Amino acid sequence: MLKKLMCAAIVGLVGTWSVAMAQLEVVVDRADLKPVPVAIPDFEAIGVDPETAQLISDVVRSDLESTGLFTITPEEAHIQTDLNIEVAPRFADWKIIQSDALVVGTVEQITRDGNELIRGSVRMWDVYGEELMRFEDSAGRQVSGRRFTTTPEDVRRIAHKIADAIYSRLTGEDGYFDTRIVYISETGPKNARIKRLAIMDADGANVKYLTSGAFTVLTPRFSPEAQQITYMSYEGGIPRVYLYDLRRARQEVLGNFRNMTFAPRFSRDGNSVLLTQATNGNSDIYLMDLQTRQSRRLTDHPAIDTSPSMSPDGRQIVFNSDRGGSPQLYIMNTNGTTRVCPSGGRDIACRITFGSGRYSTPVWSPRGDLIAFTKQSRGRFHIGVIGIDGQGERLLTESYLDEGPDWSPNGRVITFFRERAPGASPQLWSVDLTGRNLRRLQTPTDASDPAWSPLLD
């Protein structure tokens, strides 16, 4: 008998009783969401050291709990301890401790083509529906469980992929755990900061430094395939846009610009880079083709135009401009044609923010429907979102300094950096789209300018 789940987070029966139909589903849009209890006992170790299985179990639990959508049932509360991934659990035992879902997994060592590999397998049960919850595999087929294999050096990615599969099955949304975040690592005194390019897993593990700190770097952004990073560096004395190739661990300057270039961001297809070039005190936006290294000027205005971000379909960009007298957000067609502005009339660039304060660092959502931004108003900073028609502005955070938002690949979470007070150290934070689940991302050093990668292959 399906439990009548009264919390707003749960939708009840979906269709008829079918093995492939969802019984348990989490709605992620509600700000008043009550976390759903999920039991994830330690995965069984088969031919591997127990520490490896423990690590994978811990990372899966941590990933899911970090969303604020789930609570993990304490292991000491578990009644059934003789679980077998091939056998249905004793549902009554899990109902007693009020777990809505139960995840059972194994971690085993296998040999393939002479290589020793680690394989993680998982199945999930709807406790109150007393049903095996089927997953959708990478080919779109309904399967009874998910299985992921990798090298022993990369076992944390198995955990992230399992967590993504569980998150996707319960919410109907893509996950965002098997991703990376690139950011600026900051060390040293305030008047002589060393700023290095750093990269880490989305949960803060596996931090690596990509640049030496000999030259200040800023505003890193991932390519759509997560294999390149574009950023601004002061190497050579003039701020210029660079590319860093993660596969070759090599950087190169993007074009032989005589003037300052900054605020880069990849186009959605990864074939071009949007950037700002300053000439004689005026800043305009350009689009550089990475194959030909030819650039095309997109804006031509005496005001400061900067911080471009492209829509998912590549047809529009949002940018920051003070052409109206103060920094505001504008949208234009990438091909420079005139458009109907939501506020009335036609123009090449349409202003979409009209509230009090100064708007900056806009980033188009991967879903295409929202734009995240930084807003400065009455001495406070906010991270907010607004519809592409300029409607529905919502401020998600407030602090002494909140700045530099970027989206998770599923468009549900925003990362940014915060300074709590004058002179305070910058730190990375995240907040979900409802303004709920504000969390600090741990980094070994002070940190700023985060950018989120797409899901890894």
Side-chain angles (χ1 to χ4, degrees):
M1 185 70 180
L2 183 69
K3 178 186 179 183
K4 297 294 185 184
L5 297 168
M6 301 305 292
C7 67
I10 304 300
V11 173
L13 287 166
V14 179
T16 58
W17 286 89
S18 167
V19 173
M21 296 298 289
Q23 308 298 321
L24 187 60
E25 185 177 341
V26 180
V27 179
V28 299
D29 289 329
R30 297 290 296 268
D32 59 346
L33 184 145
K34 181 180 178 181
V36 174
V38 178
I40 309 178
D42 287 343
F43 291 0
E44 181 184 4
I46 304 175
V48 300
D49 59 272
E51 290 76 13
T52 298
Q54 181 75 54
L55 171 66
I56 293 176
S57 308
D58 289 342
V59 173
V60 171
R61 288 189 284 254
S62 176
D63 281 351
L64 293 172
E65 198 157 40
S66 72
T67 66
L69 301 175
F70 310 103
T71 56
I72 305 302
T73 307
E75 188 163 1
E76 55 270 24
H78 297 175
I79 299 171
Q80 183 182 9
T81 57
D82 58 345
L83 289 162
N84 184 319
I85 195 171
E86 303 292 345
V87 179
R90 295 194 297 270
F91 293 109
D93 288 357
W94 300 99
K95 292 177 185 176
I96 290 173
I97 63 172
Q98 299 181 335
S99 291
D100 289 336
L102 168 65
V103 176
V104 182
T106 61
V107 178
E108 56 190 315
Q109 183 170 318
I110 64 171
T111 301
R112 181 182 296 166
D113 299 328
N115 299 313
E116 298 296 325
L117 301 172
I118 301 295
R119 182 165 69 191
S121 304
V122 64
R123 283 185 170 174
M124 184 162 60
W125 302 86
D126 176 347
V127 171
Y128 291 92
E130 299 189 0
E131 287 270 324
L132 177 67
M133 301 184 73
R134 296 217 166 199
F135 294 88
E136 188 174 276
D137 69 8
S138 57
R141 298 169 299 196
Q142 292 289 307
V143 294
S144 60
R146 293 303 310 271
R147 178 176 286 172
F148 301 99
T149 304
T150 189
T151 61
E153 296 76 26
D154 213 15
V155 293
R156 294 186 93 261
R157 285 200 61 196
I158 285 182
H160 292 316
K161 285 185 174 295
I162 289 174
D164 278 330
I166 295 169
Y167 177 94
S168 179
R169 179 61 184 85
L170 290 174
T171 68
E173 307 267 353
D174 290 336
Y176 56 89
F177 307 116
D178 189 28
T179 57
R180 293 175 177 169
I181 291 177
V182 63
Y183 66 97
I184 301 300
S185 165
E186 299 192 26
T187 54
K190 280 288 185 181
N191 59 354
R193 294 292 262 181
I194 296 174
K195 296 189 176 185
R196 292 188 291 171
L197 205 59
I199 191 170
M200 64 182 186
D201 294 352
D203 63 354
N206 294 326
V207 174
K208 296 178 183 177
Y209 299 100
L210 305 179
T211 57
S212 66
F215 305 98
T216 292
V217 294
L218 297 171
T219 61
R221 311 294 180 215
F222 271 107
S223 67
E225 294 184 349
Q227 294 299 327
Q228 288 183 306
I229 296 166
T230 183
Y231 58 101
M232 190 196 80
S233 172
Y234 281 81
E235 185 171 348
I238 300 176
R240 291 186 296 182
V241 171
Y242 280 69
L243 284 179
Y244 189 96
D245 189 315
L246 289 167
R247 288 168 293 199
R248 297 185 299 163
R250 187 179 301 173
Q251 70 169 17
E252 63 174 317
V253 65
L254 183 64
N256 186 26
F257 296 101
R258 291 188 301 172
N259 304 303
M260 182 171 70
T261 52
F262 54 99
R265 192 178 293 274
F266 280 93
S267 62
R268 293 295 179 174
D269 60 10
N271 294 326
S272 306
V273 169
L274 290 158
L275 56 86
T276 305
Q277 182 176 185
T279 305
N280 298 324
N282 181 43
S283 297
D284 279 302
I285 296 168
Y286 292 75
L287 183 65
M288 169 174 275
D289 186 297
L290 292 177
Q291 285 290 330
T292 65
R293 298 300 169 104
Q294 298 297 309
S295 59
R296 176 165 62 90
R297 188 172 185 166
L298 299 186
T299 67
D300 187 0
H301 197 280
I304 295 174
D305 296 336
T306 186
S307 301
S309 175
M310 190 171 279
S311 62
D313 63 7
R315 295 179 179 177
Q316 306 167 80
I317 65 167
V318 59
F319 63 99
N320 171 229
S321 176
D322 65 354
R323 60 182 64 189
S326 66
Q328 300 289 335
L329 306 187
Y330 291 77
I331 289 179
M332 65 176 288
N333 296 330
T334 308
N335 62 11
T337 57
T338 59
R339 53 187 290 138
V340 177
C341 296
S343 58
R346 297 179 63 87
D347 206 337
I348 292 177
C350 297
R351 180 174 169 176
I352 62 166
T353 54
F354 294 90
S356 61
R358 303 157 65 91
Y359 295 77
S360 60
T361 64
V363 192
W364 212 301
S365 162
R367 293 168 173 267
D369 57 341
L370 293 172
I371 291 165
F373 57 81
T374 300
K375 182 177 182 178
Q376 183 182 9
S377 178
R378 299 178 179 178
R380 304 288 286 176
F381 279 77
H382 308 266
I383 301 300
V385 294
I386 192 170
I388 61 174
D389 58 357
Q391 300 297 309
E393 177 180 324
R394 289 185 290 123
L395 300 181
L396 307 179
T397 74
E398 177 183 354
S399 180
Y400 169 73
L401 176 64
D402 284 352
E403 194 169 3
D406 198 37
W407 295 92
S408 64
N410 69 353
R412 286 296 179 191
V413 184
I414 295 172
T415 183
F416 61 97
F417 73 95
R418 164 173 289 182
E419 294 179 10
R420 291 176 178 272
S425 300
Q427 301 167 339
L428 303 190
W429 289 74
S430 68
V431 65
D432 73 17
L433 195 50
T434 67
R436 191 178 51 84
N437 198 32
L438 179 67
R439 301 173 65 92
R440 183 184 168 193
L441 304 178
Q442 297 294 331
T443 52
T445 66
D446 296 345
S448 59
D449 276 348
W452 216 317
S453 82
L455 278 172
L456 304 177
D457 290 332

